[in-house]
């Protein structure tokens, strides 16, 4: 089996796993003067993605106040899927992803809300399932005062990829 064929098969498997989640993301559109994904020597940095569907942020405010833990976990999943969409548009084939090396989740958190890692699990668990085994990653979860469009969180990731 050729490498090109194997990557296509892997892409199909990943696409099926994403489709099974039942979330239609549409296209990945940068919200300003930047690229959604930038590649250099087999490493891709994916810009921060807020949890939006059809151009509308699905969770606004602070987790632990206006947003529940469960809503924030879903928002993290959507943001991670948006990163995958940006990768698919950049690469043309998600099967080229060798490894998600790092994910950072920035979230607006109410005073006294300390379950930041639990929020990030919404994205981490999805990546582990959808990209298995390439989805296991290092991660940082950070509470912040404000985010673009008052989104509950913004998520970025770094991935290594196989050559085209």
């Amino acid at each position: 089996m050729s490498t090109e064929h194997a990557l296509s098969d892997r892409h199909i498997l990943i696409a099926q796993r994403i489709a099974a989640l039942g979330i239609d993301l549409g296209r990945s559109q940068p919200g300003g003067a930047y690229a959604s994904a930038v590649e250099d020597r087999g490493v891709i940095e994916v810009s921060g993605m807020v949890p939006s569907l059809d151009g509308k942020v699905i969770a606004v405010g602070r987790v632990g106040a206006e947003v529940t833990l469960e809503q924030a976990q879903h928002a993290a999943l959507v943001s991670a899927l948006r990163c995958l969409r940006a990768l698919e548009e950049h690469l043309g084939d998600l099967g080229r992803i060798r490894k998600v090396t790092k994910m950072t989740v920035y979230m607006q958190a109410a005073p006294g809300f300390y379950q930041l890692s639990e929020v990030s699990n919404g994205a981490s668990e999805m990546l582990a399932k959808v990209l298995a085994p390439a989805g296991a990653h290092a991660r940082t979860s950070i509470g912040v005062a404000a985010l673009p469009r008052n989104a509950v969180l913004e998520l970025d990731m770094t991935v290594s990829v196989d050559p085209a």
Side-chain angles (χ1 to χ4, degrees):
M1 179 185 294
S2 73
T3 303
E4 184 175 310
H5 187 303
L7 291 175
S8 293
D9 288 346
R10 179 154 164 70
H11 176 81
I12 291 167
L13 177 61
I14 292 168
Q16 289 170 340
R17 290 173 179 168
I18 291 171
L21 296 172
I23 300 171
D24 182 16
L25 296 171
R27 292 195 41 81
S28 170
Q29 298 288 337
Y34 61 90
S36 295
V38 175
E39 183 175 358
D40 183 37
R41 291 175 272 201
V43 175
I44 300 177
E45 296 285 344
V46 182
S47 293
M49 299 287 176
V50 298
S52 64
L53 296 172
D54 296 323
K56 183 178 186 322
V57 177
I58 63 166
V60 295
R62 298 165 298 157
V63 64
E66 300 86 8
V67 180
T68 67
L69 171 62
E70 293 77 17
Q71 290 169 324
Q73 288 171 325
H74 180 71
L77 180 145
V78 169
S79 290
L81 282 173
R82 290 192 65 225
C83 287
L84 292 180
R85 174 64 61 156
L87 285 164
E88 182 177 30
E89 290 170 3
H90 178 82
L91 295 168
D93 184 349
L94 290 174
R96 287 185 52 206
I97 296 172
R98 183 175 38 237
K99 187 76 177 157
V100 176
T101 56
K102 180 73 187 269
M103 181 177 75
T104 305
V105 184
Y106 306 88
M107 61 202 89
Q108 295 190 85
F113 183 84
Y114 302 110
Q115 295 178 290
L116 303 175
S117 290
E118 288 84 346
V119 170
S120 298
N121 285 342
S124 293
E125 291 169 4
M126 181 277 294
L127 289 171
K129 289 177 188 170
V130 168
L131 298 176
H137 54 274
R139 181 180 82 191
T140 302
S141 303
I142 304 168
V144 300
L147 288 169
R149 299 171 60 197
N150 196 29
V152 68
L153 60 84
E154 183 173 11
L155 182 150
D156 66 31
M157 67 177 64
T158 305
V159 302
S160 61
V161 295
D162 291 321

